Amino acid sequence: MATRKTSPDDPLAPLTLAVGQEDLLLDRAVQQVVAAARAADADTDVRDLSSDQLQPGTLAELTSPSLFAERKVVVVRNAHDLAADTIKDVKAYLDAPAEEITLVLLHAGGPKGKALLDAARKAGAREVVCAKTTKPAERLTFVRSEFRALGRSATPEACQALVDSIGSDLRELASAVSQLAADVEGTIDDAVVARYYTGRAEASSFTVADRAVEGRAADALEALRWSLSTGVAPVLITSALAQGVRAIGKLSSARGGRPADLARELGMPPWKIDRVRQQMRGWTPDAVATALRAVAEADEGVKGGGADPEYALEKAVVTIARAARAGR
């Protein structure tokens, strides 16, 4: 590959290879290249293509010499899905890249399309790692780096509290850091995070449980999918489901009385007595037993006893909602 005088970290290198499956990081890799190109030439032409839009011959057309020698950025998303003939075109281009053009390949990094990945690396591509953050420590590092990038100071406790509250979605974490940086003066501590975000994960898991014990299966499944997508731990959801069903079982077997008296007897706050009374209409002892078995199975499924924790939770939610409606 003919090289220009660029450093390995230069966004205007002839080829940038963004490798991984973390959408936020992939988008940022593209944005960095585009920003650098437009800083060098405000009229930079940006072509952002999906793998199916890059057909054989398309790359040659996009990178052909221009009469005005305009700067251009060509982005190819999901490059691992490119057709074999198109991959040949890309490999041929890597041997003789065009002047004033930056090619950005977004690749998942797995075995699919590995030949293209290897060819890009051999050609001396500038590589940006965009791997999924699968460990809490990685998300903590991400939050710290976001605060540093914004020139803000946050305590270790604040960073940890933010990760605990928001979950695993990097876009959500980045948005939360940006909001805190914009709204709060001085050092951001865990008390600030608590005012903004603490309780979010717990609230969403109890929403799933409330909708399920009320017999609202569709609403419960929607809340479940939202909770999981925002990083709520499955064990929090099974815990909330268990508490919801047990509360109904306790109240249905308790003696009648005022909420305050029942609250003392059952160890629940009075407001919860009122809520559970509304939720328990239609519940029978057999339905409670069925729901508790469903929770136990889900708990086992999310703790390694099943292949798919999400399916285990969905099955439990549906079973509980059906049990809630059985006596109505």
Side-chain angles (χ1 to χ4, degrees), residues 22 96 121 167 181 184 196 230 257 262 301 303:
E22 181 53 65
R121 286 170 170 161
V184 180
Y196 276 75
T230 57
L262 288 170
K303 291 180 178 177

CSV table of all heavy atoms in Angstrom, one decimal, residues 22 96 121 167 181 184 196 230 257 262 301 303:
chain,number,residue,atom,x,y,z
A,22,GLU,N,-19.2,-2.5,19.4
A,22,GLU,CA,-19.8,-1.5,20.3
A,22,GLU,C,-20.1,-0.3,19.4
A,22,GLU,O,-19.3,0.5,19.0
A,22,GLU,CB,-18.8,-1.0,21.4
A,22,GLU,CG,-19.3,0.0,22.3
A,22,GLU,CD,-20.6,-0.4,23.0
A,22,GLU,OE1,-20.7,-1.3,23.7
A,22,GLU,OE2,-21.6,0.3,22.7
A,96,ALA,N,-3.2,0.5,-3.8
A,96,ALA,CA,-2.9,1.8,-4.4
A,96,ALA,C,-4.0,2.8,-4.0
A,96,ALA,O,-4.9,3.2,-4.8
A,96,ALA,CB,-2.9,1.7,-5.9
A,121,ARG,N,-5.1,-4.9,7.8
A,121,ARG,CA,-4.0,-4.8,8.8
A,121,ARG,C,-2.6,-4.9,8.1
A,121,ARG,O,-1.7,-4.1,8.4
A,121,ARG,CB,-4.1,-5.9,9.9
A,121,ARG,CG,-5.3,-5.6,10.9
A,121,ARG,CD,-5.5,-6.8,11.7
A,121,ARG,NE,-6.5,-6.4,12.8
A,121,ARG,CZ,-7.2,-7.3,13.5
A,121,ARG,NH1,-7.1,-8.6,13.3
A,121,ARG,NH2,-8.0,-6.9,14.5
A,167,GLY,N,-26.1,1.0,34.2
A,167,GLY,CA,-26.0,-0.3,33.6
A,167,GLY,C,-24.9,-0.4,32.5
A,167,GLY,O,-23.9,0.3,32.6
A,181,ALA,N,-21.9,16.7,33.7
A,181,ALA,CA,-20.9,17.7,33.5
A,181,ALA,C,-21.5,19.1,33.1
A,181,ALA,O,-21.0,20.1,33.5
A,181,ALA,CB,-20.0,17.3,32.3
A,184,VAL,N,-23.7,20.3,36.7
A,184,VAL,CA,-23.1,20.3,38.1
A,184,VAL,C,-21.8,21.1,38.0
A,184,VAL,O,-21.0,20.8,37.2
A,184,VAL,CB,-22.9,18.9,38.6
A,184,VAL,CG1,-22.3,19.0,40.0
A,184,VAL,CG2,-24.2,18.1,38.7
A,196,TYR,N,-29.5,12.2,40.8
A,196,TYR,CA,-29.9,12.1,39.4
A,196,TYR,C,-30.4,10.7,39.0
A,196,TYR,O,-31.3,10.6,38.2
A,196,TYR,CB,-28.8,12.5,38.5
A,196,TYR,CG,-28.6,14.0,38.2
A,196,TYR,CD1,-28.1,14.8,39.2
A,196,TYR,CD2,-29.0,14.6,37.0
A,196,TYR,CE1,-28.0,16.2,39.0
A,196,TYR,CE2,-28.8,15.9,36.8
A,196,TYR,CZ,-28.3,16.7,37.8
A,196,TYR,OH,-28.2,18.1,37.5
A,230,THR,N,-31.2,-1.7,29.0
A,230,THR,CA,-30.5,-0.6,29.7
A,230,THR,C,-29.6,-1.2,30.7
A,230,THR,O,-29.0,-0.4,31.5
A,230,THR,CB,-31.5,0.3,30.4
A,230,THR,OG1,-32.4,-0.4,31.3
A,230,THR,CG2,-32.4,1.1,29.4
A,257,GLY,N,-57.9,-6.3,58.1
A,257,GLY,CA,-57.6,-5.2,59.1
A,257,GLY,C,-57.1,-4.0,58.4
A,257,GLY,O,-57.1,-3.9,57.1
A,262,LEU,N,-51.9,-4.4,59.2
A,262,LEU,CA,-51.3,-5.4,58.3
A,262,LEU,C,-49.8,-5.1,58.0
A,262,LEU,O,-49.0,-6.0,57.9
A,262,LEU,CB,-52.1,-5.5,57.0
A,262,LEU,CG,-53.5,-6.1,57.1
A,262,LEU,CD1,-54.3,-5.9,55.8
A,262,LEU,CD2,-53.4,-7.6,57.4
A,301,GLY,N,-32.5,-20.2,36.0
A,301,GLY,CA,-32.1,-19.9,34.6
A,301,GLY,C,-31.1,-18.8,34.5
A,301,GLY,O,-30.2,-18.8,33.7
A,303,LYS,N,-29.1,-17.7,36.8
A,303,LYS,CA,-27.9,-17.9,37.5
A,303,LYS,C,-27.0,-19.1,37.0
A,303,LYS,O,-26.2,-19.7,37.7
A,303,LYS,CB,-28.2,-18.2,39.0
A,303,LYS,CG,-28.8,-17.0,39.7
A,303,LYS,CD,-29.1,-17.3,41.2
A,303,LYS,CE,-29.6,-16.0,41.9
A,303,LYS,NZ,-30.0,-16.3,43.3
